[in-house]
């Protein structure tokens, strides 16, 4: 009788699975090079993963010249899919991918205002089901990113004003029950930073401000998101902005900035009017000066406490951040011995946050599949099957 503990052979197989999930399609030679394992070990692992339902033959590597063409190995759609959701105050995006991160479908819609949590949960679940209609295999993971602080992946607190009804854990429980799959909630800032890290492999230590319906903050060290130990972590929006009694969230959020503009007698209906419509020069200058001070304060706080190499800004207020960045850099250069690189990141409305959420889905799913593979030995020998083994 075999031991229930994972053997070196199991760990080799898990290593091959890791590489296949992250790099497919690829050839056996690619696998040998990336894993550092022998040809025989890789071939055995591939055949076992094929039996488990996680590897199929793909196309042929057409190499010019002599030599036998190599067959690409791929992950079949039947192995499952994941869903990333950007659940915003104004727009919601849903992105479905296979286990290699390849898009299956996406949808972007205006966020519907709901009077109760069950109705909102049903609405989200229906969007997920509609976008996943062409997906095959099990739904492995859903990550929904919101303009809010999130604790332990389930509890929403201090969300954007229009989403206050979702405070607590009821929305998470509702969605998880309806989709019948693991669901994790996260902040839109964390999802946006994950997308930045995916787009720029050179970024290691960074901070990110999401300036939209509420101010959200994320940071990473050595490419790992910092989560903190208490609900206070990341709540930079509650800090003084340097302008009167206003907090950073009072100036670096759409609602707060619109209120300030109206107090300065600017006739605007939406925050975009500050840069898209002609405004009174004096009043706009005063609003812009306050906004510049708030951005400078936010970056200073991140720079002196976290020492990031880069600071990113995303969200609806990004065009205004672009306008004031030269002044912000000049002010920081006069007060700090060294300043981080400060830049804005353009986003696709409704989709960029969902893409970041998908990256979180894939990381969780790949780790879970690896753990399941290593535990599978205790479940006995498996027969050839069409459904994934774990």
């Amino acid at each position: 009788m075999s031991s229930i503990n994972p053997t070196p052979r199991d760990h080799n197989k898990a290593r091959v699975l890791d590489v296949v999930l992250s790099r497919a399609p690829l050839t056996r030679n690619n696998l040998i090079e990336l894993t550092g394992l022998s040809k025989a070990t890789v071939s055995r692992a591939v055949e076992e993963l094929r039996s488990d339902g996680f590897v199929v033959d793909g196309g042929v590597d057409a190499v010019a010249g002599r030599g036998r063409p190599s067959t690409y190995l791929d992950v079949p759609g039947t192995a499952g899919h994941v869903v990333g959701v950007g659940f915003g105050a104004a727009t919601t995006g849903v992105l479905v991918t296979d286990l290699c991160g390849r898009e299956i479908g996406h949808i972007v819609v205006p966020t519907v205002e709901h009077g109760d949590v069950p109705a909102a949960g049903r609405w989200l679940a229906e969007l997920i089901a509609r976008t996943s209609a062409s997906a095959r295999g099990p739904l492995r993971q859903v990550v929904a990113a919101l303009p809010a602080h999130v604790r332990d992946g389930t509890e929403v607190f201090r969300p954007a004003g229009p989403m206050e009804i979702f405070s607590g854990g009821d929305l998470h429980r509702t969605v998880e029950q309806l989709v019948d799959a693991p669901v994790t909630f996260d902040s839109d800032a964390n999802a946006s930073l994950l997308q930045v890290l995916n787009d720029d492999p050179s970024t290691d230590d960074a901070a990110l401000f999401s300036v939209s319906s509420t101010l959200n903050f994320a940071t990473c060290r050595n490419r790992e998101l910092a989560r903190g130990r208490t609900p206070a972590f990341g709540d930079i929006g509650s800090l003084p902005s340097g302008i009167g009694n206003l907090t950073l969230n009072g100036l670096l959020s759409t609602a707060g900035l619109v209120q300030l503009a109206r107090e300065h007698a600017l006739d605007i209906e939406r925050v975009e009017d500050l840069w898209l419509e002609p405004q009174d020069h004096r009043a706009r200058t005063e609003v812009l000066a306050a906004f510049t001070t708030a951005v400078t304060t936010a970056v200073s706080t991140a720079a002196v406490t976290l020492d990031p190499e880069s600071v990113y800004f995303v969200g609806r207020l990004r065009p205004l951040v672009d306008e004031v960045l030269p002044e912000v850099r000049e002010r920081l250069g006069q007060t700090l011995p060294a300043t981080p690189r400060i830049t804005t990141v353009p986003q696709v409305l409704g989709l960029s946050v969902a893409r970041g959420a998908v990256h979180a889905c894939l990381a969780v799913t790949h780790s879970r599949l690896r753990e399941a593979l290593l535990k599978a030995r205790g479940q006995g020998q498996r027969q050839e099957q069409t459904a994934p083994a774990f």
Side-chain angles (χ1 to χ4, degrees):
M1 183 175 179
S2 62
S3 169
I4 63 172
N5 294 320
T7 65
R9 175 171 171 172
D10 295 324
H11 284 285
N12 288 338
K13 179 179 173 183
R15 173 62 180 150
V16 171
L17 177 63
D18 287 340
V19 174
V20 169
L21 289 173
S22 61
R23 298 295 188 95
L26 75 174
T27 66
R28 279 181 171 79
N29 287 338
N30 296 147
L31 265 176
I32 293 169
E33 179 180 354
L34 292 169
T35 61
L37 301 173
S38 70
K39 180 178 179 180
T41 298
V42 166
S43 294
R44 181 171 58 243
V46 164
E47 293 313 307
E48 291 180 4
L49 289 170
R50 188 193 305 277
S51 177
D52 291 336
F54 288 94
V55 169
V56 293
D57 288 336
V60 175
D61 183 13
V63 180
R66 297 182 179 180
R68 182 179 177 182
S70 298
T71 300
Y72 280 107
L73 302 170
D74 209 343
V75 179
T78 51
H81 58 285
V82 299
V83 177
V85 181
F87 186 26
T91 303
T92 295
V94 179
L95 175 64
V96 181
T97 77
D98 66 11
L99 298 189
C100 296
R102 294 172 294 207
E103 180 175 330
I104 295 173
H106 75 265
I107 190 172
V108 178
V109 297
T111 299
V112 175
E113 291 188 19
H114 295 285
D116 59 74
V117 170
R122 289 192 296 272
W123 182 74
L124 277 176
E126 193 277 331
L127 284 180
I128 291 170
R130 191 197 320 170
T131 315
S132 305
S134 62
R136 298 181 295 157
L139 173 55
R140 299 282 185 174
Q141 179 71 47
V142 176
V143 171
L146 304 85
H149 294 261
V150 179
R151 181 165 46 198
D152 299 328
T154 60
E155 183 182 358
V156 177
F157 60 103
R158 292 196 295 280
M163 305 182 78
E164 288 181 355
I165 190 176
F166 304 129
S167 296
D170 288 347
L171 182 63
H172 175 267
R173 286 188 290 271
T174 299
V175 174
E176 192 164 61
Q177 290 172 0
L178 290 172
V179 302
D180 192 26
V183 175
T184 301
F185 281 2
D186 206 345
S187 73
D188 57 358
N190 278 340
S192 294
L193 185 51
L194 283 174
Q195 181 62 36
V196 168
L197 293 173
N198 182 75
D199 290 341
D200 185 1
S202 67
T203 298
D204 292 317
D205 306 327
L208 180 142
F209 294 93
S210 177
V211 283
S212 285
S213 50
T214 191
L215 172 63
N216 252 344
F217 175 76
T219 184
C220 67
R221 177 70 66 181
N222 296 324
R223 299 182 66 82
E224 290 291 329
L225 292 187
R227 299 287 182 178
R229 294 183 296 273
T230 70
F233 179 78
D235 191 17
I236 283 181
S238 63
L239 298 179
S241 66
I243 300 295
N245 295 322
L246 292 173
T247 64
L248 286 174
N249 190 59
L251 282 173
L252 299 182
S253 66
T254 55
L257 199 57
V258 166
Q259 180 178 343
L260 180 68
R262 289 172 178 169
E263 289 173 358
H264 282 74
L266 289 176
D267 184 19
I268 65 173
E269 295 184 2
R270 53 177 191 152
V271 74
E272 286 83 359
D273 292 340
L274 276 172
W275 58 87
L276 295 178
E277 298 292 336
Q279 301 293 338
D280 175 77
H281 178 71
R282 179 189 57 80
R284 185 181 188 277
T285 298
E286 292 173 354
V287 172
L288 208 61
F291 184 76
T292 303
T293 297
V295 172
T296 304
T297 301
V299 176
S300 297
T301 301
V304 301
T305 58
L306 299 169
D307 192 28
E309 298 170 331
S310 302
V311 175
Y312 301 96
F313 282 84
V314 300
R316 285 177 66 187
L317 298 182
R318 180 181 62 83
L320 211 57
V321 176
D322 276 325
E323 186 174 345
V324 306
L325 267 187
E327 174 68 17
V328 170
R329 294 188 182 105
E330 183 176 343
R331 291 190 192 183
L332 291 173
Q334 295 170 356
T335 58
L336 297 179
T339 59
R341 181 174 68 98
I342 313 167
T343 185
T344 60
V345 180
Q347 292 184 306
V348 179
L349 183 64
L351 270 185
S352 290
V353 172
R355 288 194 181 107
V358 161
H359 294 310
C361 281
L362 294 173
V364 170
T365 301
H366 292 181
S367 176
R368 188 182 295 133
L369 288 174
R370 177 186 175 86
E371 292 175 4
L373 184 156
L374 293 176
K375 291 178 181 177
R377 177 166 295 274
Q379 300 172 0
Q381 293 295 110
R382 296 182 299 271
Q383 302 298 318
E384 187 79 20
Q385 55 200 347
T386 56
F390 43 85

